[in-house]
Amino acid sequence: MPDDPLSTTFGALADPTRRAILARLADGAATVNELAEPFDISLQAISKHLKVLERAGLITRGRDAQYRPCHLRAGPLKEVTAWLERYRSFWEESFGQLDEYLIDLQERQRNNDIESQ
């Protein structure tokens, strides 16, 4: 994976299984077995996904006797949000233009309907 943290985070988020694991961890800590339960893949595959998430700083793994809970770390997600925030004005402007276009289209349709009566 690339060295810069943002690329590492995006790389970790690129996989739907890893995103699902993060969504589960947003509800609280879970073991590898608990995280693996909804997936039709091996524990070894889940462990590989967890290593990617851990390297990206998105999770931590604790140790409590035999229990090794995984925990969500949201810090890198905050960096992603900050990066995406820079593009908010672009999207808001684009949606504003789309709204104007749709209103114009509806008015033209109404005018056509009135003329055809």
Side-chain angles (χ1 to χ4, degrees):
M1 280 198 169
D3 288 340
D4 75 285
L6 193 57
S7 293
T8 302
T9 301
F10 275 119
L13 294 174
D15 185 275
T17 300
R18 291 193 287 267
R19 291 191 305 271
I21 289 169
L22 291 177
R24 166 55 186 86
L25 290 174
D27 293 333
T31 64
V32 174
N33 286 333
E34 291 168 336
L35 292 171
E37 194 173 297
F39 302 104
D40 191 23
I41 58 177
S42 69
L43 281 176
Q44 183 180 9
I46 290 293
S47 290
K48 286 181 180 182
H49 284 297
L50 293 175
K51 286 178 185 173
V52 171
L53 292 170
E54 195 170 23
R55 274 194 303 271
L58 291 163
I59 68 165
T60 58
R61 294 199 234 189
R63 179 175 228 103
D64 184 11
Q66 296 296 333
Y67 182 66
R68 295 206 50 192
C70 296
H71 302 271
L72 176 67
R73 281 192 66 237
L77 295 175
K78 196 175 199 178
E79 293 172 26
V80 168
T81 301
W83 183 83
L84 289 170
E85 188 65 30
R86 298 184 326 195
Y87 300 94
R88 177 187 293 273
S89 62
F90 168 78
W91 287 110
E92 287 175 350
E93 183 180 321
S94 296
F95 287 136
Q97 290 172 355
L98 179 60
D99 285 342
E100 290 173 19
Y101 174 75
L102 291 174
I103 290 168
D104 183 54
L105 199 60
Q106 288 173 337
E107 286 177 19
R108 279 193 260 154
Q109 181 63 43
R110 270 190 242 121
N111 291 338
N112 286 341
D113 289 347
I114 291 171
E115 289 175 5
S116 65
Q117 289 179 354

